[in-house]
Structure formats: C-alpha cells, structure tokens
Amino acid sequence: MFLALLELRAARGRFLLMGGVVVLVAALVGIVSGFTTGLGDDTVSALRRLPATHIAFAAGSDSDQFARSLIDEGSADGWEREKGVAATPLGVAITRGTTDRQVEVDLAAFGVEPGAFTDPGATTGRPLDAAAPDGVVVSRQLVSDGIRIGDVLTVDRLGIRLKVIGTTGRSSYGHVPAAYVTTDTWRRIRFVAPGGDARAVDLPRQYSAIALELPAGFGGKALADADRRHRTTTVPLRNAFAAAPGYQGERLTMLSIQTFLFLIAPLVVGAFFAVWTIQRTPELALLRAMGASRRRLLGHTLTQAAVVVVAGTAVGAAIASAVGMAVGERVPFSLPATALVTTMAAVALVGLAGSAFTLRRVAGADPMTMLGAAR
C-alpha cells in the first residue's frame, strides 16, 4: 500500500492526467444521465403523476395512442361497471392559448373528471369543479411562463375561454406544460372546429383513454376478456409513456450515449494502466526478485487504480451536480442524489474493470528479468 501511494506521488503528472480523463468521463456520464432523466420527466411527468395502474386505449390504436385513440362512452361506462376496478375518462390534447394579459403559452390540456382519482387538485387556488366547467388548473411551468390565478386563457383559433382557478405541481407532456380541465371542456378543445361554437352536449362523448386502477390479480385472461368486451387495448401505466410524443426516440438516443461512455471508460483506464505496467515491468520484476508475492503486486496495482478511478469519479460527480444546480429549471435536467450515486458507482466499477485487464501482466512479472536471464 505504501509503495503504491509513493509511486502515485512520484509519477503524479501521469496519474493526474489519467485522473483528469476519468473526471471528464464521469462528469459527462453524470450530465448525460441528468439530461436523460430530465427529458423523460419533461415528456411524461404528467402521465407519471397519474395515480393509475393501467391505461386503456381504443383497440387498434397501436402508435401515437393519445393522439389517435378515441374511446366512446359505452367503453368508458363498461370499464366503470367492472367489479373492483376504478375507471375514469382521460383526455390529452396539445394546444396553445393567450391570456387577457397577452401572455402566450403552449399547454397540454388534460381532461379529467373533477373529484376523480386523476384530478390533481390544486396546490394554490381552487381545484376543478363540475359546476364551473370553464375553470383550468395550470402546472408550475405555466406559472413560470407568466400565467396567474384569475387570468382568462383563450384557446387559440377556437375562442374557448378558460379561467385560471388554481395551480398544481410541475408536470408536462411531450415537453409541453400540463393544464387540467374538465372532460367537457377537453371535448370542446378536441372536437370543436376553428371558428365553431358548439356546446359540450353537442359533441361526441369520446376520450383519449381511460385511466384504470386494477385490483391485484386482474390481469392475464381477465384483462384480455375485459378488453375484448369494451373494445380497448390496456397497457400498464409505464408502457403508456411510449405513447407520449418523442419519448422513445429521446430515451433511446440518450441511453445509447450513456452506453458508449460506459464502454469508453474501461478502455481508457485499461489502456493507461497497460502502458504504465509495461513501463514498470523492470520494477515489478525487481520486487519479485526481492521476494514480493504476486498477491502483493496485484494489490499494489489495484490500489493505484482505485485511487485514480474513485477520486476522478468523485470529482466528476461534483461537476455533474454543479451543472445541475447551475441550469436549474431552465432546461430539462434532473439528477437526484440516488441516481447520481448509482451512476458514479457504475462508472467507478467499469473503470476498475478496465484496469483489471493489466493484472495478468503484473502477475506474470518474471524475477529472472532482473537477475540477468534476459541477457
């Protein structure tokens, strides 16, 4: 151990260079991880907040389901009559609006039944009320964009006027801040043609999906039979995230970058220690000639690798965390402490795995090299 640390000090320039590379790789992995989580949250956080176990879409809507699926009232009523199942209609539509203070915003209108388990309530102000169907509860991002309680939000091209009655936590869908309205109001947003003035009672009683809370054991054949009866396709809530626009493509892209970084880390660390081991071959042979065991030499090498990799990873983690605090909520970045620790632990492990490639050469150091066998 003492010799390993002494060698680190003697060749500190080389080890600092290698440590710097580990710092950059670890920081990059942490930053990419933060963007992966942040982009995912910015795409599906409104869905993730739903206290549902499953989402039922119209049968046959296999892609872009929230945009293409339309479930009629008969299917919704059928699910509500299922024993032990909590079911409520859900509407999702992306639109744009302007307030009476001329604040223009994009918003994802989530149609929910007031008082149902999908109703988010209100952190400030009042929750949705069936007696006041023109109310809207906006998410925190829209408040940051300038929306205030009491504003009147007019949906562009449709002329539908909504009064902001409350706010709720941070939630978005497809990178668009969420706003919660009653299902009647959502149907007006979804089905009224630009310039039209149709009332909710004149519109089709259809919804994007049905949010479900299924009891334990309601799956397999029972779920398939229920889907067949109600003409729906039901998926677990997590699987419904794929229906959000861009979610799968973004996640695949960011995870691919992370994977390549995890592959790069052991290769870089392994290459450095391979070169370092070759340069130290005479010293290793001398230690063997002086009676050092192979186990001692392996411990010596692993100690050096652990110091470089762990220290570099810790500094990289600090940089990634600092980046997260610097960007705040201006960009979709989320790196919770548990995710940061897990990611950095993975970086350290793959880095140490890279250094393990050199152990065979270390263990094979021949003491006869220093005793003249090579001459």
Side-chain angles (χ1 to χ4, degrees):
M1 176 70 73
F2 174 75
L3 183 60
L5 298 178
L6 189 64
E7 200 169 46
L8 283 171
R9 181 179 178 183
R12 57 181 174 272
R14 299 178 186 179
F15 284 106
L16 284 174
L17 179 62
M18 184 58 219
V21 174
V22 175
V23 167
L24 293 177
V25 172
L28 189 54
V29 171
I31 292 170
V32 171
S33 178
F35 279 118
T36 301
T37 305
L39 286 169
D41 287 343
D42 206 45
T43 305
V44 299
S45 60
L47 298 177
R48 196 171 279 147
R49 287 189 64 188
L50 293 175
T53 60
H54 292 72
I55 300 292
F57 296 101
S61 54
D62 298 326
S63 63
D64 201 10
Q65 290 164 306
F66 281 110
R68 298 185 180 184
S69 170
L70 284 175
I71 289 187
D72 58 35
E73 189 175 22
S75 296
D77 291 342
W79 269 112
E80 290 175 359
R81 288 193 297 268
E82 289 286 341
K83 185 177 180 180
V85 174
T88 184
L90 176 68
V92 179
I94 294 178
T95 186
R96 183 173 178 81
T98 305
T99 70
D100 50 355
R101 294 186 295 107
Q102 301 306 308
V103 177
E104 298 182 0
V105 292
D106 293 318
L107 56 110
F110 272 66
V112 299
E113 294 284 354
F117 65 86
T118 51
D119 185 352
T123 305
T124 59
R126 295 180 290 109
L128 294 175
D129 186 351
D134 292 334
V136 58
V137 174
V138 299
S139 60
R140 197 171 71 206
Q141 296 100 306
L142 289 172
V143 175
S144 300
D145 290 339
I147 303 295
R148 300 288 183 268
I149 294 178
D151 285 353
V152 175
L153 180 67
T154 302
V155 179
D156 289 358
R157 299 185 303 114
L158 302 180
I160 299 173
R161 294 167 61 84
L162 306 173
K163 185 174 182 179
V164 180
I165 60 173
T167 68
T168 186
R170 185 179 180 86
S171 59
S172 55
Y173 170 80
H175 303 299
V176 180
Y180 297 87
V181 296
T182 64
T183 51
D184 283 346
T185 299
W186 178 85
R187 289 190 297 115
R188 293 178 64 200
I189 294 173
R190 175 67 173 81
F191 296 116
V192 171
D197 58 355
R199 298 173 302 169
V201 294
D202 300 325
L203 299 173
R205 298 193 67 83
Q206 295 177 324
Y207 313 95
S208 299
I210 302 172
L212 303 172
E213 282 187 329
L214 300 183
F218 196 104
K221 187 176 184 303
L223 181 57
D225 290 342
D227 273 334
R228 187 164 50 254
R229 287 194 301 272
H230 309 311
R231 304 180 304 281
T232 57
T233 299
T234 302
V235 298
L237 178 63
R238 177 166 291 278
N239 292 1
F241 295 166
Y247 179 75
Q248 284 184 308
E250 289 175 354
R251 189 165 182 81
L252 179 61
T253 299
M254 301 306 289
L255 290 177
S256 297
I257 296 173
Q258 276 189 289
T259 300
F260 277 108
L261 290 173
F262 278 120
L263 292 176
I264 289 170
L267 292 177
V268 171
V269 174
F272 171 81
F273 278 100
V275 173
W276 179 243
T277 300
I278 292 173
Q279 293 176 339
R280 296 162 54 230
T281 298
E283 288 84 353
L284 294 173
L286 177 60
L287 290 173
R288 288 284 290 125
M290 294 174 64
S293 65
R294 287 187 175 87
R295 179 179 297 179
R296 187 177 183 86
L297 293 185
L298 293 175
H300 167 82
T301 301
L302 288 175
T303 298
Q304 290 181 339
V307 170
V308 172
V309 171
V310 173
T313 301
V315 176
I319 293 174
S321 181
V323 169
M325 290 187 289
V327 299
E329 294 187 356
R330 289 173 293 176
V331 296
F333 187 96
S334 177
L335 191 60
T338 53
L340 178 62
V341 170
T342 302
T343 302
M344 293 301 108
V347 172
L349 287 175
V350 297
L352 290 174
S355 68
F357 292 130
T358 65
L359 296 182
R360 182 177 179 182
R361 180 177 288 273
V362 172
D366 186 4
M368 297 304 293
T369 300
M370 296 306 296
L371 296 177
R375 295 192 181 97

